[in-house]
Amino acid sequence: MGTIRRTIPGLGGLVALVVLVAWAGARLDARRAHFTAPDELIYLPDAARLRPLALGYDNVLADLLWFRTIDYFGAHYESDKSYPWLAAMCDLVTDLDPRAKHVYRFAALIL
């Protein structure tokens, strides 16, 4: 019974984190539709500020940010092939999850 009491808040925090990231992604997508200039306005906080929000799920947050990074790369690959934020996005993912070998491989090939 004690394990369940500790697991439920952790799962609630994880669900809240996923909802927050999905909401932020939807807002970014909505704002992206209004921009016609190739310059993008992206705010990337440093990993030290994101860790407390991750509630111990740094790897999950890193994976969600990795999906956004791949989406960012794909959108620019199809249009202007300019990636001003790609290095910073990869750094943020690897700061949150240093064992994410796929990010290092991708960055080595692309950057």
Side-chain angles (χ1 to χ4, degrees), residues 65-75 86 89 106:
L65 291 171
W66 176 243
F67 294 140
R68 294 296 297 174
T69 302
I70 293 298
D71 180 53
Y72 170 82
F73 172 77
L86 188 60
M89 294 172 91
F106 174 80

Side-chain angles (χ1 to χ4, degrees), residues 4-89:
I4 293 174
R5 289 184 184 174
R6 286 184 290 220
T7 304
I8 291 175
L11 289 175
L14 178 62
V15 169
L17 180 64
V18 169
V19 168
L20 178 67
V21 169
W23 174 75
R27 288 195 60 201
L28 281 174
D29 290 340
R31 288 184 182 207
R32 186 185 309 169
H34 295 294
F35 292 118
T36 56
D39 296 337
E40 293 181 325
L41 298 175
I42 296 179
Y43 172 70
L44 290 175
D46 57 319
R49 293 182 187 219
L50 284 178
R51 275 198 184 91
L53 297 175
L55 302 173
Y57 294 100
D58 294 354
N59 295 344
V60 174
L61 182 57
D63 288 341
L64 293 172
L65 291 171
W66 176 243
F67 294 140
R68 294 296 297 174
T69 302
I70 293 298
D71 180 53
Y72 170 82
F73 172 77
H76 282 275
Y77 183 79
E78 290 178 349
S79 63
D80 61 358
K81 294 186 177 28
S82 172
Y83 316 103
W85 288 96
L86 188 60
M89 294 172 91

Side-chain angles (χ1 to χ4, degrees), residues 59 93-94 96-104:
N59 295 344
V93 172
T94 56
L96 290 171
D97 184 10
R99 294 174 288 156
K101 294 179 183 176
H102 57 281
V103 180
Y104 294 110

